[in-house]
Amino acid sequence: MEHVPALDEDLKKTLGPATAKVLAEQLGLHTALDLLHHYPRKYAERGELTALTELADQIDEHVTVVAQVADARILTFNGGRGKRLEVTITDGNGRLQLVFFGAGVHKPHKELLPGTRAMFAGKVGMFNRKLQLSHPAYEPLGADASDQDAATAFAGRLIPIYPACAKLESWKIAKCVDAVLPSARETVDPLPPALREGRGLVPLTEALLKIHRPATKADVEDARQRLKWDEAFVLQVALARRRRADSQLPAVPRRPVPGGLLDAFDAKLPFTLTEGQQTVSKEIFDDLATDHPMHRLLQGEVGSGKTMVALRAMLAVVDCGGQAAMLAPTEVLAQQHHRSITEMMGELAEGGMLGGSDQGTKVVLLTGSMGMPARRKALLDLVTGEAGIVIGTHALIEDKVQFHDLGLVVVDEQHRFGVEQRDALRSKGKQPPHLLVMTATPIPRTVAMTVFGDLETSVLDQLPAGRSPIATHVVPAKDKPHFLARAWERVREEVGKGHQAYVVCPRIGDEEAADPKKKSAEADGDKRPPLAVLEIADELRGGPLAGLSVEVLHGRMDPADKDDVMRRFAAGEVKVLVATTVIEVGVNVPNSTVMVIMDADRFGVSQLHQLRGRVGRGSAPGLCLLVSEMHEASPARARLAAVAATLDGFELSRIDLEQRREGDVLGQAQSGVRSSLRMLAVIDDEEVIAQAREEATRVVADDPELERLPGLKLALDALLDTEREQYLEKG
């Protein structure tokens, strides 16, 4: 009787130690179940040849192609001492050269005769301006009589092409899958039977057999639909359980007090809140009034007034005796928030101080670089409850920081904080505080449901009255250098009108002092290093912007120097600020009207949108110039054109997501964990995710511990190992 590997059996037993080692190290596959979930990335048909014309975009990548040998010849060199076999293969549209050297020429010379069809795998290289595969591995596809059985075996079949690596080609992975495929019969189905039948999905065992060994394209489609549902549903159940667990936690209800700090603040506002701000504020106040912690994500377009909404929530909490903490990802941003909040509150931010309001409270700043006396004072104000509002960086999380009664935590730019930091701050309350997470990066609805699925979502998509439109243009510096000269003239014109400008660069420029190897490696490569803040600032001072006050701002400056530059820029003394993306979020200088982004193609779509939001914050219109040396037909220029064409952050975030690998969006790039989404595409499968969320919420409400669904519980445990837990909460 055949050996059926157990699903959790180490692949060494089934495949031998050498193969198992490669699968584990190169592809992260350790058990039979892992291998069953290593799905083919595409399928080649025996009757259809893979397009060789697509390989120009895949230089230095490992590829698998199905093609036919057109000709093969042995050439000699070094006076006949060296031999080289050149084989030309074709798929009817394109041609590709294969090369074999030395003793390695004899076997392929016998086997790769003209007319032979085979699968070839190797790394795409370029030699003499021609694409080639050097020493590719190959597997003939029943070209001669001895292979007749093999030919019959997959006549009319689809050939699975697996994600592979240099040490293990696709067809070898296919043979490994064959060895564990019988164990697919042992898999426990995570989907409740009623859900599966109601949605017309095939059983899991059938889906696994069909995805790996499909007889038809319809088999592949059946399997994909089913496996997408597994991924979406298990993930949404995990999130639904987290939402439920959060809703069971106790919290102190914080209801706004009439005639308190919030009313006094609202009364002195020189403008009316937008309809969106009022709606979102109501959602937040309703959450704050409940006896379990609020968990809300506030998404807002750049400049939509999120800080105002967050501040009003903080004031409501202070009104009923609690404290509010705002956590910012950088010192520059923490200082900026502290400045803008104390300005907005005026004498209400000077509680207990001379000239302060009777209704006021103290607003303190706490960052890692503060001097000891100021730090000690801030810590004392927090523990006594004197300070109702604290704004800080991760310094707020340290053990020494104690609160009198922490009622609300506001996290700005959530994607920069790990779950440990979020929880460490939340644990400082006597009971779990309410949580408001803010992001200015617009997130498509499906990503919000997937990445922030444990949070309720509010969206601010209306700009406050008085905000000006921002015109965005691409400046092709290489093709049209006079456009760049004109860009600097525009900066001078804006400064001449009394306004200010940002110039953003991707690099600081003092890296080579720290790592001389890096600079020489970049200089040796074809690509020049990215433009740097320090170099560009010098060029501008001595050239197109001579005579204007040009200062720099970047992350490696001393915190006191950074704060000094930002203060002088905010006060209008500095006319042009040359900076890295340290100014990307939260920096608010309404007098800035123009931004020039150098090497704009080096930034992502969402990041460019964020940066652009720093201008046009006052009554004068904003101008954003995207400088690039990339060719007009390049994908990078297409990205920049998309940013120039729309100010809709949600539209841009879709474009961004379509252009980036899904894993990056889901936080995988940073953690190095393989994404649990192998089949589900967050943008394309919007409907599946939305339906899975509904089903998951229903299932968890009915059976919170999943006692009646052992298969689902197993799948959930597999997803929620430690690394997945971090992935889910990373955001």
Side-chain angles (χ1 to χ4, degrees), residues 442-524:
I443 303 160
R445 178 170 155 265
T446 42
V447 181
M449 282 193 293
T450 311
V451 182
F452 294 107
D454 58 333
L455 302 171
E456 299 301 325
T457 305
S458 294
V459 177
L460 268 181
D461 49 12
Q462 236 182 331
L463 290 186
R467 284 299 298 265
S468 303
I470 305 168
T472 308
H473 302 286
V474 179
V475 177
K478 207 169 194 171
D479 310 344
K480 300 177 177 167
H482 60 286
F483 274 38
L484 182 58
R486 176 70 189 122
W488 300 128
E489 282 174 19
R490 285 290 291 112
V491 171
R492 288 197 88 96
E493 286 165 14
E494 287 300 308
V495 172
K497 291 178 195 166
H499 299 306
Q500 290 159 276
Y502 295 101
V503 178
V504 180
C505 302
R507 198 165 62 97
I508 296 172
D510 57 1
E511 297 87 347
E512 52 276 16
D515 190 354
K517 281 186 203 155
K518 191 173 170 193
K519 187 170 193 205
S520 60
E522 278 179 325
D524 291 344

Side-chain angles (χ1 to χ4, degrees), residues 204-466:
L204 179 57
T205 298
E206 189 183 325
L208 290 169
L209 293 172
K210 282 182 167 176
I211 200 76
H212 289 293
R213 299 294 171 261
T216 63
K217 287 181 177 175
D219 281 356
V220 175
E221 197 41 47
D222 283 353
R224 279 194 167 142
Q225 274 311 105
R226 162 61 214 245
L227 295 167
K228 278 179 181 182
W229 254 94
D230 277 19
E231 288 177 8
F233 182 68
V234 173
L235 184 57
Q236 291 301 334
V237 166
L239 293 163
R241 289 185 79 195
R242 181 158 305 121
R243 286 196 301 276
R244 190 178 184 282
D246 284 342
S247 73
Q248 307 295 307
L249 292 172
V252 178
R254 311 279 180 174
R255 297 181 182 86
V257 175
L261 191 54
L262 176 61
D263 283 354
F265 175 74
D266 284 350
K268 64 193 275 303
L269 277 181
F271 51 82
T272 313
L273 296 176
T274 64
E275 199 180 316
Q277 284 174 318
Q278 288 173 18
T279 306
V280 170
S281 288
K282 184 180 183 316
E283 290 169 352
I284 291 170
F285 290 148
D286 288 350
D287 283 358
L288 289 173
T290 62
D291 54 11
H292 58 82
M294 165 172 78
H295 289 90
R296 189 166 284 281
L297 170 69
L298 173 54
Q299 294 190 62
E301 270 288 14
V302 177
S304 58
K306 292 182 301 301
T307 310
M308 173 61 71
V309 169
L311 175 55
R312 294 183 74 247
M314 293 196 284
L315 295 175
V317 168
V318 174
D319 268 345
C320 42
Q323 290 168 294
M326 183 185 253
L327 195 56
T330 64
E331 291 211 352
V332 166
L333 191 50
Q335 287 159 346
Q336 177 73 38
H337 275 317
H338 181 253
R339 231 183 341 263
S340 62
I341 283 174
T342 48
E343 278 167 17
M344 281 196 269
M345 287 176 64
E347 76 278 4
L348 296 174
E350 297 166 0
M353 293 154 75
L354 203 61
S357 163
D358 295 342
Q359 289 168 309
T361 187
K362 253 190 201 174
V363 179
V364 300
L365 176 69
L366 191 62
T367 64
S369 66
M370 283 170 71
M372 196 41 82
R375 186 179 173 74
R376 210 173 278 129
K377 179 81 179 83
L379 290 172
L380 186 64
D381 285 343
L382 285 181
V383 77
T384 59
E386 190 103 344
I389 295 175
V390 59
I391 295 150
T393 55
H394 55 267
L396 280 177
I397 299 164
E398 291 169 12
D399 292 343
K400 288 180 208 144
V401 180
Q402 305 274 307
F403 289 86
H404 177 65
D405 178 14
L406 182 60
L408 170 66
V409 174
V410 179
V411 179
D412 194 17
E413 292 306 315
Q414 154 74 1
H415 60 283
R416 307 193 178 206
F417 281 101
V419 62
E420 305 85 5
Q421 292 163 307
R422 199 167 89 177
D423 281 351
L425 190 51
R426 271 169 40 182
S427 68
K428 290 186 175 292
K430 292 188 177 76
Q431 283 192 323
H434 299 279
L435 176 72
L436 179 64
V437 166
M438 301 197 299
T439 177
T441 308
I443 303 160
R445 178 170 155 265
T446 42
V447 181
M449 282 193 293
T450 311
V451 182
F452 294 107
D454 58 333
L455 302 171
E456 299 301 325
T457 305
S458 294
V459 177
L460 268 181
D461 49 12
Q462 236 182 331
L463 290 186

